Amino acid sequence: MAWYEGAFFYQIFPDRYFRAGPPGKPAPTGPFEPWEAPPSLRGFKGGTLWGIAEKIPYLKDLGVEALYLNPIFASTANHRYHTVDYYQVDPLLGGNAALRHLLEVAHAHGIRLILDGVFNHTGRGFFAFQHLLENGEQSPYRDWYHVKGFPLNPYSRHPNYEAWWGNPELPKLRVETPAVREYLLEVAEHWIRFGADGWRLDVPNEIPDPEFWRAFRRRVKGANPEAYIVGEIWEEADFWLQGDMFDATMNYPLSRAILGFVGGEVLDQELSSRSGLGRIEPLQALAFSHRLEGLFSRYRPEVVWAQMNLLTSHDTPRLLTLLRGSVERAKLALSLLFLLPGNPTVYYGEEVGMEGGHDPENRGGMIWDEARWQEEIRQTVRRMARLRQEHPELRTAPYQRVYAADGHLAFTRGPYLVVVNASPEPFRQDFPLHGALPRGAQAVDLLSGKTCTPAGGRLCGPELPPFSVAIWVEV
């Protein structure tokens, strides 16, 4: 089994996690935006890779097995999707030395780390674009971009070159140019050889060239056969998941399904619909199970096990905000992430109940004041992570529906029977088992410690509180 099949991933926006350590060079002189102030589109809070390394014990205690970092290379944006140097970790994050340190500390604790690769476009400060800007048609770099006319007008609302969604700050690379292709493939290989454990690929569907992505896979897997390649594809992704391009995608269809089932009528539809999540359909248990079955049967088992299953990210509103402050529903949604096949992926701060709407509100400074934590949520994540470590079949055993009615769902994962109550009323766990647990055997709920002896082919278990889950297994 690959290390990334079923691993617990934790996504960090580096500028917003923790300040520590020396800056890289050129060193900033400030001022940084106050940590507690609402995040702004252009402000920097000064989080570093040294800071993330310092918090590895916190992450290890939470049960984290792998980190996914938003872009870390030199850039003029706090989110760093505007790359200006693919070989240089941003000095504000501590430079290359800070990444070396973070990798050493993470690996020493058994935590892997994947980087965010932005290969569709660069920032305006990237060398080739600057060269084109200064020299116009005479620049030997003119074939690096899709130029429609000279002189370039990079500060107008209507750039005369192709740019990501028309944003002049993000000129689109001409990946069909051999020199551009080779440059990007060398970058991909370089950081894997440096020690990174894989790549998350930004908008890879905007480079709709399968040959480029096949070559990308060969280079990355050639440098480290165990490297993980996950693409940011927001919909079903059969084309990309045939085994010749990506190992997995960010599983936003699963996000929508869980949010629709657990959020129900409470979910903030207006907020959701203005994000990449779109309008989320409220789902009862049977419809939810059908969505899951569709997703799990769509791909080969090794893809299902490797999918990056998430609820929220830097591109969506935060979980507690979407659920209008319902801690119970947030706990249940996170629990489901850990009880389904694939990689449960938690966006930093969701485990302590951070709130936030659209970008930039969803990218606030991590809360380190424990008095402000929603400790119930954190303990839920911690406990579910431990369960997966103690019961490895919860990573890969297939999903099998046993019972679904209204807000009540029961399914098996190997020898485990999971019962979910996604309704505001207690649920009596009395339903047909269809052979889910051995006849006559006593079962225990791994979460509450309660026991029951199924009779007459029915569970006949105790009441399950609103918005909670039980995990039954033979004693």
Side-chain angles (χ1 to χ4, degrees):
M1 226 178 107
W3 67 265
Y4 49 76
E5 291 175 358
F8 169 18
F9 273 79
Y10 185 88
Q11 181 191 344
I12 292 178
F13 194 94
D15 183 63
R16 308 294 157 82
Y17 204 61
F18 191 62
R19 287 182 192 161
K25 294 190 166 97
T29 53
F32 284 120
E33 190 175 274
W35 198 260
E36 298 294 334
S40 62
L41 282 171
R42 296 285 174 184
F44 291 79
K45 290 196 182 291
T48 64
L49 301 189
W50 302 108
I52 297 170
E54 201 166 302
K55 293 298 183 181
I56 289 288
Y58 165 84
L59 296 166
K60 187 71 179 174
D61 175 71
L62 193 63
V64 171
E65 295 163 322
L67 297 176
Y68 149 42
L69 304 186
N70 284 105
I72 62 170
F73 304 122
S75 172
T76 51
N78 56 37
H79 48 72
R80 300 188 168 84
Y81 285 94
H82 298 41
T83 317
V84 300
D85 187 343
Y86 288 87
Y87 284 99
Q88 179 63 48
V89 173
D90 199 302
L92 291 178
L93 294 177
N96 291 4
L99 177 60
R100 167 69 63 215
H101 175 69
L102 173 56
L103 283 166
E104 286 172 0
V105 174
H107 288 163
H109 285 79
I111 294 176
R112 313 273 186 153
L113 187 148
I114 68 165
L115 301 175
D116 205 327
V118 188
F119 299 131
N120 174 66
H121 48 262
T122 67
R124 287 180 293 216
F126 183 66
F127 176 80
F129 191 79
Q130 282 294 309
H131 203 281
L132 197 54
L133 193 56
E134 298 287 345
N135 299 295
E137 287 183 83
Q138 291 176 291
S139 169
Y141 291 97
R142 60 175 295 172
D143 279 347
W144 275 60
Y145 295 93
H146 303 261
V147 181
K148 297 172 185 169
F150 290 98
L152 294 184
N153 54 0
Y155 292 92
S156 97
R157 282 192 172 176
H158 304 287
N160 52 355
Y161 50 87
E162 277 189 39
W164 183 75
W165 287 50
N167 181 346
E169 296 177 52
L170 296 171
K172 182 174 169 61
L173 283 165
R174 195 181 187 117
V175 177
E176 57 269 35
T177 300
V180 177
R181 276 174 111 79
E182 183 52 32
Y183 176 82
L184 295 176
L185 295 175
E186 283 173 4
V187 167
E189 182 179 344
H190 171 81
W191 292 107
I192 297 296
R193 294 199 183 280
F194 190 88
D197 296 291
W199 287 101
R200 176 268 188 188
L201 300 168
D202 185 59
V203 296
N205 53 314
E206 302 205 18
I207 304 177
D209 175 357
E211 281 313 313
F212 172 74
W213 292 118
R214 287 177 188 128
F216 182 93
R217 182 181 185 87
R218 288 193 295 272
R219 289 290 275 272
V220 167
K221 298 282 187 177
N224 177 2
E226 292 193 340
Y228 177 50
I229 303 172
V230 56
E232 182 204 11
I233 308 285
W234 285 66
E235 306 300 334
E236 282 75 11
D238 308 61
F239 173 72
W240 307 93
L241 296 172
Q242 300 300 314
D244 57 348
M245 289 184 269
F246 309 155
D247 297 310
T249 55
M250 297 180 80
N251 201 354
Y252 283 105
L254 182 80
S255 323
R256 297 182 188 109
I258 294 177
L259 290 168
F261 177 52
V262 175
E265 70 288 350
V266 163
L267 191 79
D268 191 330
Q269 288 288 0
E270 196 273 330
L271 194 63
S272 167
S273 63
R274 286 192 293 120
S275 76
L277 290 169
R279 191 184 175 283
I280 292 173
E281 187 185 349
L283 299 173
Q284 293 283 40
L286 188 59
F288 173 56
S289 187
H290 284 156
R291 292 278 172 92
L292 296 181
E293 288 153 27
L295 286 171
F296 300 148
S297 62
R298 188 175 194 111
Y299 307 119
R300 291 168 295 123
E302 55 270 32
V303 171
V304 172
W305 301 335
Q307 285 285 69
M308 185 175 259
N309 292 347
L310 69 165
L311 293 168
T312 56
S313 72
H314 64 292
D315 284 325
T316 73
R318 284 193 171 274
L319 179 61
L320 208 52
T321 304
L322 281 169
L323 296 174
R324 299 183 199 267
S326 172
V327 170
E328 286 71 27
R329 290 180 196 249
K331 284 160 55 182
L332 180 56
L334 286 160
S335 295
L336 277 169
L337 266 191
F338 285 85
L339 292 169
L340 295 171
N343 303 336
T345 303
V346 174
Y347 183 45
Y348 82 96
E350 300 295 54
E351 79 277 14
V352 297
M354 283 179 66
E355 298 200 42
H358 297 292
D359 170 24
E361 291 172 30
N362 54 354
R363 303 173 181 184
M366 173 66 180
I367 295 173
W368 291 110
D369 175 4
E370 295 183 26
R372 294 173 54 207
W373 286 357
Q374 293 277 4
E375 185 61 19
E376 278 181 70
I377 302 179
R378 196 179 75 87
Q379 288 302 340
T380 295
V381 170
R382 201 165 163 266
R383 189 155 194 206
M384 301 310 291
R386 291 282 178 283
L387 266 179
R388 276 172 80 97
Q389 288 167 359
E390 291 161 9
H391 303 272
E393 280 182 272
L394 288 173
R395 296 168 184 259
T396 55
Y399 170 94
Q400 189 79 40
R401 171 168 39 98
V402 172
Y403 174 85
D406 304 322
H408 312 128
L409 175 68
F411 58 89
T412 54
R413 300 287 316 285
Y416 306 96
L417 173 71
V418 177
V419 185
V420 183
N421 181 10
S423 77
E425 303 297 329
F427 170 55
R428 171 69 62 189
Q429 297 177 76
D430 181 1
F431 52 84
L433 284 168
H434 303 297
L437 288 169
R439 281 184 180 276
Q442 193 182 42
V444 63
D445 172 12
L446 295 173
L447 294 176
S448 70
K450 291 178 179 173
T451 60
C452 77
T453 305
R458 301 177 75 84
L459 182 60
C460 306
E463 275 197 342
L464 191 58
F467 302 108
S468 65
V469 66
I471 305 165
W472 297 97
V473 67
E474 184 185 358
V475 176

